[in-house]
């Protein structure tokens, strides 16, 4: 239910910078990674295709060799082609996949053996197809290309294998291409985020201001409803202010989470909203209620739930409204809950609600001294009240009683404004 808003323009800008920066970095990393993969794949595919195109220059000579192993002239032609290409080796295989001929560029024997071993396993392509594969040997990166050799009668007569070596310049060009693509993608995201910052800041400011206005309206309505209930019941709104301040002080001493305290604030201020539905002859009766009248009075807890049921902002307040008359031993109403089954904030509020009733003047009684009121609450620990809550309350009661009970209407409203600003991040609620 609590709404967290930036407390200053500086916090708003910092929040946007932090969130936008985190999003830009995350998206930039993803975009850079995707771009890296795309550029790597494209560079590798381009190298494979270039190697396959280069290998086709050997096809005619290699086809003749596959058909005629005595074609020595073709051997020389292959050698000349090899000298003018980036290939380090050309090998010709028969249709039975037996090596017929191979020629190598000036290549160390160790590298030749490593290439033979690494490139041994590959596909044997059919007509119209080709096989390309990367071979990494030490620091060397090579491309293996296998093509079918087609004779004059359009039948396969063998296979051509070419091993292309990527020189240092080509490898560097590939790395630069990949790196530049990834860097461009990442920088594009960051620049876009930087250009969008003023627009997003203006939109966020507008949204924060609207949220603040809505929050202020809800809190002002809360105060008006609480005051209306108090005026009808006791002709004073001070009770709602006091019990809310008491309840928050007690909840803070119990280390209740901030969100739950925000719910407690609203619930404490509206705890008796259901009394709007109680007839005046019962609500304003100066004497003791009859059994039947008391049963009607007890319905105010459920009536309160019905009143706030359609307001999502008051969902958390419903716990206090419904259960502030439950008793720890299960003898309370409306649900007869026992012990920890009673919501924690309702157990907190029930203590301060009774305490304020005991220590303040009502049309039918005089205020009770602090010590006597605490004795009564202590005796009801474990019966009406949660013992843990009572123990903490007794330790802080004297201090909060001294400052709250003696405060006038102006002081109570000022304390309420401070409290609302602390738990609802607003400086304009009043």
């Amino acid at each position: 239910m609590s709404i967290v808003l930036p407390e200053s323009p500086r916090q708003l800008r910092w929040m946007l910078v932090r969130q936008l920066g985190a999003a830009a970095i995350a998206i930039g990393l993803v975009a850079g990674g995707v771009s890296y993969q795309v550029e790597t794949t494209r560079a590798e595919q381009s190298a494979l295709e270039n190697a396959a195109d280069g290998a086709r220059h050997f096809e005619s000579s290699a086809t003749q060799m596959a058909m005629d192993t005595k074609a020595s002239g073709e051997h020389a032609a292959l050698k000349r082609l090899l000298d003018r290409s980036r290939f380090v080796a050309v090998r010709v295989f028969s249709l039975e996949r037996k090596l017929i001929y191979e020629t190598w560029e000036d290549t160390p024997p160790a590298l030749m053996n490593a290439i033979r071993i690494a490139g041994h396993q590959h596909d044997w392509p059919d007509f119209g197809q080709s096989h390309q594969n990367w071979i990494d040997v030490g620091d060397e990166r090579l491309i293996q290309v296998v093509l079918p050799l087609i004779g004059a009668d359009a039948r396969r007569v063998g296979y051509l294998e070419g091993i292309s070596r990527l020189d240092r310049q080509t490898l560097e060009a590939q790395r630069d291409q990949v790196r530049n693509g990834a860097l461009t993608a990442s920088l594009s995201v960051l620049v876009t985020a930087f250009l969008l910052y003023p627009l997003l800041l203006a939109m966020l400011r507008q949204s924060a201001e609207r949220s603040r206005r809505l929050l202020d309206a809800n809190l002002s309505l809360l105060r008006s409803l609480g005051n209306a209930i108090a005026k009808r019941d006791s002709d004073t709104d001070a009770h709602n202010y006091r019990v809310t301040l008491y309840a928050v002080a007690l909840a803070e001493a119990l280390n209740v989470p901030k969100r739950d305290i925000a719910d407690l604030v609203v619930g404490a201020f509206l705890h008796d909203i259901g009394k709007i539905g109680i007839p005046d002859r019962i609500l304003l009766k100066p004497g003791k209620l009859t059994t039947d009248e008391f049963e009607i009075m007890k319905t105010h807890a459920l009536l309160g739930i019905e009143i706030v049921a359609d307001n999502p902002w008051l969902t958390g307040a419903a716990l206090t409204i419904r259960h502030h008359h439950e008793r720890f031993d299960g003898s309370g109403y409306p649900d007869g809950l026992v012990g920890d089954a009673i919501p924690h904030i309702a157990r907190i509020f029930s203590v301060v609600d009774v305490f304020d009733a005991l220590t303040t003047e009502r049309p039918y009684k005089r205020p009770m001294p602090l010590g006597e009121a605490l004795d009564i609450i202590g005796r009801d620990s474990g019966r009406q009240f949660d013992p843990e809550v009572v123990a903490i309350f007794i330790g802080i009661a004297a201090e909060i009683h001294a400052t709250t009970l003696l405060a006038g209407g102006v002081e109570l409203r000022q304390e309420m404004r401070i409290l609302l600003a602390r738990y609802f991040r607003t400086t304009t609620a009043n």
Side-chain angles (χ1 to χ4, degrees), residues 170-222:
T170 302
L171 285 173
E172 287 296 329
Q174 280 190 355
R175 294 191 186 102
D176 289 343
Q177 182 180 12
V178 171
R179 183 173 57 251
N180 292 339
L183 184 61
T184 299
S186 300
L187 288 178
S188 297
V189 173
L190 293 175
V191 170
T192 301
F194 176 77
L195 294 176
L196 287 176
Y197 172 78
L199 176 61
L200 292 176
L201 179 61
M203 293 174 64
L204 188 57
R205 282 174 174 166
Q206 186 179 48
S207 177
E209 181 58 29
R210 289 179 177 177
S211 296
R212 193 181 302 280
R213 290 176 183 173
L214 177 61
L215 177 58
D216 288 345
N218 283 331
L219 294 175
S220 295
L221 178 61
L222 166 69

Side-chain angles (χ1 to χ4, degrees), residues 46-60:
S46 176
L48 291 172
E49 291 174 356
N50 289 336
D53 290 340
R56 289 190 174 92
H57 291 296
F58 295 87
E59 279 186 305
S60 58

Side-chain angles (χ1 to χ4, degrees), residues 209-267:
E209 181 58 29
R210 289 179 177 177
S211 296
R212 193 181 302 280
R213 290 176 183 173
L214 177 61
L215 177 58
D216 288 345
N218 283 331
L219 294 175
S220 295
L221 178 61
L222 166 69
R223 193 190 68 164
S224 297
L225 281 173
N227 292 346
I229 299 161
K231 290 292 184 182
R232 183 167 186 266
D233 185 15
S234 60
D235 198 33
T236 176
D237 58 4
H239 169 68
N240 283 338
Y241 285 103
R242 287 194 303 269
V243 294
T244 301
L245 295 173
Y246 285 153
V248 171
L250 179 53
E252 289 174 344
L254 287 163
N255 296 316
V256 172
K258 204 167 186 178
R259 181 181 180 86
D260 291 342
I261 295 180
D263 290 340
L264 177 59
V265 170
V266 182

Side-chain angles (χ1 to χ4, degrees), residues 298 301-302 305 318-319 321-327 330-338 341-343:
K298 291 191 328 185
L302 295 180
I305 294 298
L319 295 176
I321 294 171
R322 182 182 185 107
H323 299 297
H324 68 282
H325 284 296
E326 300 285 358
R327 296 173 63 97
S331 62
Y333 64 88
D335 300 314
L337 300 180
V338 179
I342 305 170

Side-chain angles (χ1 to χ4, degrees), residues 281-301:
R281 62 181 176 82
I282 297 175
L283 183 65
L284 304 179
K285 183 177 179 179
K288 185 177 180 179
L289 299 178
T290 66
T291 300
D292 291 340
E293 289 172 339
F294 185 63
E295 289 300 319
I296 294 174
M297 178 63 80
K298 291 191 328 185
T299 63
H300 80 276

